[in-house]
């Protein structure tokens, strides 16, 4: 696989995957890059270029088999396997993610939650048991956990990330409103407000242009 | 303002805003593009180029006043005003967003929620009253609502978006796991799983390279 795939291309892959799953669901068997570009609002040559980063998936002028392409991209995204995940911090966002059924569909299994709040510890949420934060280290030693989802307040996030890194999880999906930095494991920092502020930018621009 | 600001630049603005707020909070008064680039993990010339899209905010070789720059970007993002918002669909994600305190800090006020589930209607969540879905149209007529947050299941999202568009909200922040399309109002489709799949891509790549 080409190691120099740009971040922009990588970030478009989940979007291709979503659209292909939807096309497959509604029974579309074959699609051209032009048709795919129209339904996704992307440029057809960009789609072909993106796919070429991975050796291309179709023949010129022939188009793509939707199911084959979906499976290829699924494998590239590492989604042809099961991930065991834990949630750290079971507040608003943690609880929402614990109950988010779509993750299970995509092969993610949340097996435990951890929180410093002793009134939560011992309870279950959507069949996920909540353990005290102090048990996390031992839990990670005894269980092969691939993924940790940080949903703690800002102040705790970096320390939790450091502990996860030492314990050897493979990846951190961070929802705390601060970027966490750790060496040696993969991290995705999610900032919900970034997309909200992109929206307000567009709203302000539309308002100034008077187009709406 | 330059109308041709690219989507990539627009999407970096909220990130600049976050870092500048943090720098201001810890008492940093002035920063060079080089220093900013180091703490953000971006290229200094990219930062200067991005800022130049908006006329630039500093003098060559002098750096930026953090507070001034933060205020400029805040205004560009349309965050120097208050937004009244409603949530449609008060399930897992809807409830999490209703309780997300950071939004209030940034000028977003959630004033009502709507749901089809009659057992929820009449209750409040974090002081936000839940109304029946059938009341939404009238509510929007009687109240000046800027922003609607769609947290419905996939199947309902497009119809809700169409109703919001007719009712004249300015923007839609959509968390349903399907892109909604409406003419005439600004939309941001949020797909939480996109960042999760970017993470699994990186985890798979790291695993194959054996770097971790």
């Amino acid at each position: 696989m080409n190691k120099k795939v740009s971040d922009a291309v990588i970030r478009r892959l989940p979007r291709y995957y979503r659209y292909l799953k939807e096309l497959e669901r509604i029974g579309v068997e074959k699609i051209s890059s032009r048709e795919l570009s129209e339904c996704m609002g992307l440029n057809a040559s960009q789609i072909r270029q993106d796919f070429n980063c991975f050796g291309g998936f179709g023949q010129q002028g022939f188009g793509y088999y939707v199911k084959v392409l979906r499976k290829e991209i699924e494998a590239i995204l590492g989604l042809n396997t099961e991930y065991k995940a834990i949630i750290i911090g079971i507040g608003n966002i943690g609880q929402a993610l614990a109950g988010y059924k779509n993750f299970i569909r995509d092969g993610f299994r949340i097996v435990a939650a951890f929180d410093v709040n002793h009134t939560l510890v011992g309870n279950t949420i959507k069949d996920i048991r909540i353990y005290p934060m102090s048990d996390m280290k031992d839990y990670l030693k005894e269980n092969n956990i691939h993924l940790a989802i940080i949903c703690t307040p800002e102040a705790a996030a970096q320390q939790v990330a450091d502990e996860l890194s030492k314990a050897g999880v493979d990846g951190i999906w961070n929802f705390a409103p601060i970027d966490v930095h750790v060496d040696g494991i993969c991290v995705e920092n999610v900032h919900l407000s970034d997309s909200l502020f992109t929206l307000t930018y567009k709203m302000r621009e539309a308002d100034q242009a008077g187009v709406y």
Side-chain angles (χ1 to χ4, degrees), chain A:
Chain A
M1 195 163 74
N2 188 342
K3 284 268 156 239
K4 306 220 169 172
V5 178
S6 77
D7 197 58
V9 177
I10 295 167
R11 287 185 186 281
R12 276 194 293 273
L13 287 177
R15 203 167 146 209
Y16 290 123
Y17 182 62
R18 264 194 282 124
Y19 273 87
L20 289 165
K21 275 204 299 189
E22 181 60 17
L23 288 166
E24 198 179 344
R25 196 185 64 78
I26 62 173
V28 178
E29 289 186 1
K30 239 185 90 183
I31 195 162
S32 67
S33 52
R34 189 182 51 74
E35 288 163 334
L36 190 57
S37 75
E38 280 167 8
C39 82
M40 291 186 64
L42 283 173
N43 187 298
S45 73
Q46 179 166 64
I47 291 179
R48 285 190 297 268
Q49 270 176 39
D50 285 354
F51 290 173
N52 279 338
C53 296
F54 303 95
F57 304 117
Q59 280 182 310
Q60 188 77 38
F62 184 83
Y64 306 100
Y65 284 111
V66 171
K67 190 178 177 177
V68 173
L69 186 55
R70 189 265 300 159
K71 282 191 171 182
E72 293 261 18
I73 295 181
E74 190 170 81
I76 289 168
L77 288 171
L79 293 173
N80 51 352
T81 181
E82 196 192 66
Y83 292 91
K84 278 198 285 185
I86 60 169
I87 294 179
I88 301 110
I90 201 79
N92 288 318
I93 297 285
Q95 287 181 29
L97 294 175
Y100 200 54
K101 287 187 288 283
N102 292 3
F103 293 150
I104 299 161
R105 201 177 59 185
D106 287 313
F108 296 87
R109 200 150 61 82
I110 297 167
V111 292
F114 297 87
D115 205 288
V116 291
N117 182 343
H118 286 289
T119 61
L120 292 174
V121 165
N123 293 332
T124 58
I125 177 164
K126 314 272 168 187
D127 294 330
I128 301 160
R129 195 175 176 80
I130 306 171
Y131 296 91
M133 199 54 215
S134 50
D135 285 4
M136 188 180 78
K137 203 173 154 185
D138 285 340
Y139 187 94
L140 290 170
K141 251 190 223 159
E142 288 155 21
N143 296 273
N144 184 22
I145 300 299
H146 309 98
L147 189 73
I149 308 173
I150 299 181
C151 301
T152 66
E154 189 170 331
Q158 183 60 52
Q159 197 195 324
V160 168
D162 291 337
E163 286 173 28
L164 291 165
S165 166
K166 274 188 217 146
V169 300
D170 302 322
I172 292 176
W173 198 27
N174 173 39
F175 282 80
I178 186 175
D179 286 352
V180 299
H181 302 277
V182 278
D183 288 332
I185 58 174
C186 301
V187 178
E188 268 285 300
N189 293 298
V190 181
H191 293 281
L192 292 180
S193 56
D194 281 12
S195 93
L196 178 60
F197 297 169
T198 304
L199 178 60
T200 54
Y201 173 91
K202 291 179 190 168
M203 284 161 67
R204 178 178 162 274
E205 199 182 40
D207 186 47
Q208 286 187 336
V211 288
Y212 294 155

